[in-house]
Amino acid sequence: MDPLTSDQTRREGEQRRRRLQVLGLNSVEAEATFDRVARLAASFTQSPLAMVNFINDERQMFRGMYVPPTSPDDKANTEGGRGIVFDLSNIAREAPGDYGFCPHVVAQGSQLALDDVFDYPRFRGNPLVNDMGVRSYLGTPLRDNTGMILGTVCVADMVARTWDRKLKEGMQELAQTLLSDFKLRDSLLAQQQELFAVFDGAPFPIMLTEGMDHLLRYANGKQGAAFGMVPQFSPGRQVLTGLEAVGVFKAMDEAFRTGKTTTLPRASLTTYDSPAPEDFSFLCTPVRTSPNAPISGVLTVAVNITGQPYRESDQRVFAANVQERFEQMGSGAFSGSVPGRRLETGEYPR
């Protein structure tokens, strides 16, 4: 049986997906840390293509990538008899789960060096050869701080070449430099759990979603009681159809896209814990794990305003307070310091 289609491989893929979701890495968004590692890999090995590739049970996600800049000389080189030049400037940051050579690295759990793909019948027909002209490849397993393989750090060239011992060892060392990033992410997650423990006692619904698909990363008890209990990492708008119907996820889309707090002042909903429709206001705040980081998700706070005037100021104070805590945690985790004081239950808006 092909190792890439075995039941064990599928189970391992599902485990990687769950781990990547926890780490906030189960998406294709570029990240400066991984782009930098890809650039270093390309420079160290003198390769035109390098990637930091995370692989789940469905797809590959190139969160780190280096491709050579195009130049007018490319056409001249082709005319000079050096063969077809492949334009790598528009490579997508994702690929099917069985595309290329990285899935083989993950499946076998060890480094894969192909000096000349044409020497290996198993690999010479790979779409990567025809689509991008790859002729040689060196891929190294990317392990997290728990020992789980999450993907690869890899380089490729459009000509056959020898990957010597120095290059192989250098790639392994480069992959190991990312261990500290995974450790820090776990540290940040532990601190987030403390913040979520405070949210659990909030008198109003709170949820934190991740990415443009609004995967539900956290919801407090009040959120579940009012709008429905759903599994972690479920796509929000598909499982919380009541909130989708009244425009909550549209407001969340805008918050994620613009990076600005978005308000849905009033929406009438029949909740699970009330037989009659009630009015809620929703404040959607984009969340960053540190001041200069890209937006990672949206914090949505709902307040029951049935029979009351809408008081946006209270929600905004709370949301700003929470965002500050997330940024403190992110800055603290990456500087080795301890975040500031915890958000106390008395700081909820009334």
Side-chain angles (χ1 to χ4, degrees):
M1 179 181 290
D2 186 339
L4 294 184
T5 60
S6 70
D7 290 339
Q8 179 181 354
T9 298
R10 283 192 289 271
R11 287 194 299 269
E12 291 174 351
E14 292 172 356
Q15 292 173 349
R16 282 196 306 276
R17 171 168 50 81
R18 289 192 290 270
R19 177 61 173 157
L20 290 170
Q21 286 175 328
V22 167
L23 293 173
L25 296 172
N26 195 52
S27 62
V28 300
E29 285 79 19
E31 195 159 327
T33 297
F34 304 129
D35 275 345
R36 182 165 57 250
V37 169
R39 186 168 62 251
L40 288 171
S43 176
F44 171 70
T45 61
Q46 292 296 291
S47 302
L49 180 63
M51 295 178 178
V52 177
N53 182 11
F54 296 98
I55 304 176
N56 61 24
D57 56 334
E58 297 176 341
R59 61 177 177 167
Q60 303 177 63
M61 299 159 287
F62 311 129
R63 291 183 68 101
M65 180 185 293
Y66 173 83
V67 296
T70 57
S71 72
D73 294 334
D74 292 339
K75 187 173 186 291
N77 289 338
T78 303
E79 293 172 347
R82 295 182 61 181
I84 299 173
V85 174
F86 287 78
D87 182 5
L88 305 178
S89 60
N90 294 317
I91 296 177
R93 283 189 177 261
E94 65 178 318
D98 59 352
Y99 185 88
F101 308 122
C102 290
H104 294 275
V105 177
V106 172
Q108 69 187 28
S110 60
Q111 197 171 57
L112 175 63
L114 303 175
D115 294 345
D116 188 343
V117 175
F118 290 172
D119 290 339
Y120 302 87
R122 178 186 179 192
F123 297 120
R124 66 185 303 169
N126 195 287
L128 192 63
V129 178
N130 295 329
D131 295 348
M132 297 173 57
V134 168
R135 186 74 180 271
S136 55
Y137 169 90
L138 176 60
T140 301
L142 177 58
R143 299 179 185 271
D144 71 0
N145 49 302
T146 71
M148 179 179 287
I149 297 176
L150 301 180
T152 70
V153 178
C154 66
V155 292
D157 207 330
M158 282 58 188
V159 296
R161 56 181 292 181
T162 300
W163 304 107
D164 60 29
R165 179 179 176 182
K166 180 180 178 181
L167 293 178
K168 293 176 182 177
E169 291 178 348
M171 287 291 288
Q172 290 172 335
E173 292 175 2
L174 195 57
Q176 289 174 358
T177 65
L178 288 173
L179 282 175
S180 59
D181 182 86
F182 301 134
K183 289 179 181 178
L184 290 171
R185 288 173 185 268
D186 274 335
S187 175
L188 179 57
L189 286 168
Q191 295 171 45
Q192 286 181 358
Q193 291 305 314
E194 294 186 10
L195 191 59
F196 293 159
V198 178
F199 289 171
D200 286 340
F204 43 80
I206 301 174
M207 67 175 172
L208 177 67
T209 56
E210 177 183 299
M212 296 182 65
D213 293 331
H214 304 304
L215 302 180
L216 193 69
R217 191 173 188 95
Y218 165 82
N220 69 350
K222 199 68 176 178
Q223 166 81 18
F227 306 128
M229 299 291 293
V230 296
Q232 189 181 31
F233 297 118
S234 300
R237 62 178 6 114
Q238 295 179 23
V239 295
L240 296 170
T241 54
L243 299 184
E244 166 71 354
V246 297
V248 174
F249 284 98
K250 183 177 180 180
M252 293 167 64
D253 287 340
E254 184 177 350
F256 191 92
R257 178 178 56 82
T258 65
K260 298 179 180 179
T261 299
T262 303
T263 302
L264 181 62
R266 188 178 296 271
S268 182
L269 284 159
T270 300
T271 63
Y272 285 91
D273 56 356
S274 175
E278 297 180 304
D279 292 335
F280 288 85
S281 65
F282 293 86
L283 189 73
C284 308
T285 302
V287 170
R288 296 177 173 87
T289 54
S290 62
N292 297 321
I295 295 169
S296 59
V298 177
L299 179 79
T300 301
V301 178
V303 174
N304 191 324
I305 57 171
T306 303
Q308 303 176 30
Y310 170 56
R311 295 176 59 189
E312 180 179 359
S313 59
D314 284 341
Q315 281 178 293
R316 286 189 177 275
V317 169
F318 176 78
N321 196 323
V322 172
Q323 174 58 26
E324 181 183 355
R325 295 303 184 273
F326 274 104
E327 292 185 356
Q328 285 177 346
M329 285 189 293
S331 299
F334 286 93
S335 64
S337 62
V338 178
R341 66 184 180 87
R342 281 179 46 174
L343 181 74
E344 302 297 338
T345 53
E347 295 180 71
Y348 297 133
R350 295 173 178 81

